[in-house]
Amino acid sequence: MSLVSELPGRFDPFPLYRELREESPLLLDPAQEVWHVFRYDDVQRVLSEHAVFSSRMRAGREPDQNHLFASSLISTDPPRHRQLRSLVSEAFTLRAVAALEPRIAEIVAELLDRVAGRGSMDLIDDFAYPLPVIVIAELMGIPAEDRDRFKRWSDIVVSQVREYESSPARAAAQQEMAEYFFAMIERRRRDPGEDLISRLLAAQVDGEHLSVMELLGFCALLLVAGNETTTNLLGNAVLTFTEWPGTIERLGAESGALPSAIEEVLRFRSPVQCMFRITTQDTTLGGTPIRAGSRLAAWIGSANRDGRQFPDPETFAVDRHPKRHLAFGQGIHFCLGAPLARLEARVALSALLARLPGLRLAPGASLERIDSTIIFGPRQLPVEWQAA
């Protein structure tokens, strides 16, 4: 079990994933009473069969401000999940997301204007972090001066503490988030606008408005999912492009190849490495009996490197087809924000390649991953290019 405990601290967990897929594809951690799932077929099933593998990790307990996500989409099952998802889905349709492209391009240009003449930057701090934070904050109607608080809260929430555990820092961050969003909800209740929070306040499910905890859960989920995953998708993409010779040159010359490259990054270095579920009944997985009430950790990062599904899985292949990665989840919990993440990545990476010629990882850069079991990406990413 010591091998699994090492995963969150490894910048390159993929060799260990490979070992576990072959030797212990379904591994019980007796200390935490969690089954760890590593092979693609098993992970896909855990993520897909919501009737057996439930997202309600805190079922039977009243949601509170220290567990904001207990009333959110990622922690509910049908029929409530279907009702909640329908309320926010209109904001993330392909048409709605496409309408955001001009503003995203404007933000990208502003961020690059600040650094283009320098010849170097920390890609995370100077670019990959502020872009999605600005986008999601504007969608939610959050003042610009509060964006740094957003980032601090979301970093703590996805920190190395596992989904089914808590910590004083995490509890404090969620309490601060709850108080902030509660005040924001009350302001929007008195003075509604065109932002997503106002729209959620006005929305109804079967003739009833959302509860305060459901509203808070939506806000917290949009905050964290709206910036952490995209920040790390961008960081993972640039790191991967610089590691594989000729990739940056090809993508610069063939703009049509970029969407395919982004999908391969999602497989090769998935921003979300792990999701948690709990069984609702006795079942079997990979031929192993699993009792009702068992907690499972489905390792998406391992599934996406499974050679049974992806030939030559350790190779980054821009032209890989078909693309059956699980980076955005599967089934009813498939990431609602996937179109927005893909759009932000395409616009951002296209501009980076066009405006920063000779983009490369800074020589001698020492890389560490962010402190999280769930989210995966570099903490910093020093890069250089040929400044004009």
Side-chain angles (χ1 to χ4, degrees), residues 182-192 197-198 201 209-212 215:
F182 182 78
M184 179 67 66
I185 288 166
E186 290 305 305
R187 285 198 295 273
R188 292 294 186 270
R189 203 187 300 275
R190 295 190 302 267
D191 185 20
I197 293 177
S198 296
L201 267 168
H209 291 284
L210 297 175
S211 70
V212 171
L215 285 166

Side-chain angles (χ1 to χ4, degrees), residues 236-310:
N236 291 341
V238 172
L239 174 61
T240 304
F241 293 168
T242 60
E243 283 181 335
W244 288 83
T247 301
I248 286 182
E249 291 77 9
R250 177 183 173 182
L251 295 177
E254 302 175 27
S255 59
L258 186 56
S260 181
I262 291 170
E263 296 304 309
E264 178 68 344
V265 171
L266 286 163
R267 181 198 71 84
F268 192 75
R269 279 195 171 103
S270 307
V272 176
Q273 289 283 295
C274 183
M275 291 299 292
F276 296 89
R277 297 290 189 266
I278 188 166
T279 53
T280 61
Q281 61 192 56
D282 292 349
T283 187
T284 60
L285 188 63
T288 300
I290 307 290
R291 297 186 64 178
S294 297
R295 295 179 296 185
L296 300 97
W299 289 91
I300 292 170
S302 172
N304 284 341
R305 293 283 190 107
D306 191 337
R308 298 165 186 79
Q309 185 67 216
F310 304 100

Side-chain angles (χ1 to χ4, degrees), residues 361-387:
L361 188 65
S366 178
L367 302 181
E368 298 178 356
R369 66 176 286 177
I370 61 171
D371 186 25
S372 178
T373 301
I374 301 171
I375 304 297
F376 178 82
R379 187 189 302 274
Q380 289 92 28
L381 192 63
V383 294
E384 298 178 347
W385 61 91
Q386 300 162 11

Side-chain angles (χ1 to χ4, degrees), residues 74-272:
I74 61 169
S75 301
T76 55
D77 294 326
R80 192 59 175 172
H81 175 273
R82 190 178 303 110
Q83 295 167 332
L84 294 176
R85 188 177 177 103
S86 68
L87 292 182
V88 74
S89 61
E90 289 186 10
F92 296 99
T93 62
L94 292 175
R95 177 180 295 181
V97 168
L100 299 173
E101 182 167 355
R103 176 56 182 150
I104 293 172
E106 185 178 295
I107 297 168
V108 167
E110 291 172 357
L111 293 171
L112 290 179
D113 286 344
R114 299 175 190 175
V115 299
R118 291 182 357 201
S120 66
M121 67 170 166
D122 179 349
L123 184 109
I124 304 300
D125 286 346
D126 293 328
F127 188 76
Y129 143 57
L131 171 60
V133 169
I134 293 170
V135 172
I136 199 65
E138 290 186 354
L139 274 174
M140 297 175 70
I142 302 301
E145 60 268 22
D146 291 337
R147 291 171 190 158
D148 287 343
R149 298 169 71 185
F150 264 42
K151 179 60 175 174
R152 179 175 63 83
W153 291 333
S154 58
D155 282 349
I156 293 173
V157 168
V158 302
S159 65
Q160 188 157 330
V161 177
R162 289 171 171 79
E163 179 70 14
Y164 45 84
E165 297 174 347
S166 190
S167 72
R170 197 180 197 198
Q174 293 206 45
Q175 178 69 27
E176 290 178 23
M177 287 169 61
E179 293 173 355
Y180 178 89
F181 283 128
F182 182 78
M184 179 67 66
I185 288 166
E186 290 305 305
R187 285 198 295 273
R188 292 294 186 270
R189 203 187 300 275
R190 295 190 302 267
D191 185 20
E194 298 299 320
D195 56 273
L196 197 49
I197 293 177
S198 296
R199 290 161 63 183
L200 289 173
L201 267 168
Q204 296 185 32
V205 178
D206 295 338
E208 295 183 3
H209 291 284
L210 297 175
S211 70
V212 171
M213 285 308 302
E214 286 172 334
L215 285 166
L216 291 175
F218 261 126
C219 290
L221 178 60
L222 289 167
L223 161 63
V224 175
N227 77 79
E228 289 289 345
T229 51
T230 305
T231 292
N232 290 289
L233 172 55
L234 293 173
N236 291 341
V238 172
L239 174 61
T240 304
F241 293 168
T242 60
E243 283 181 335
W244 288 83
T247 301
I248 286 182
E249 291 77 9
R250 177 183 173 182
L251 295 177
E254 302 175 27
S255 59
L258 186 56
S260 181
I262 291 170
E263 296 304 309
E264 178 68 344
V265 171
L266 286 163
R267 181 198 71 84
F268 192 75
R269 279 195 171 103
S270 307
V272 176

Side-chain angles (χ1 to χ4, degrees), residues 54-76:
S54 172
S55 298
R56 298 183 64 206
M57 296 297 293
R58 291 179 54 81
R61 287 176 282 182
E62 287 297 319
D64 58 54
Q65 291 185 354
N66 289 332
H67 295 90
L68 291 181
F69 300 98
S71 296
S72 71
L73 278 172
I74 61 169
S75 301
T76 55

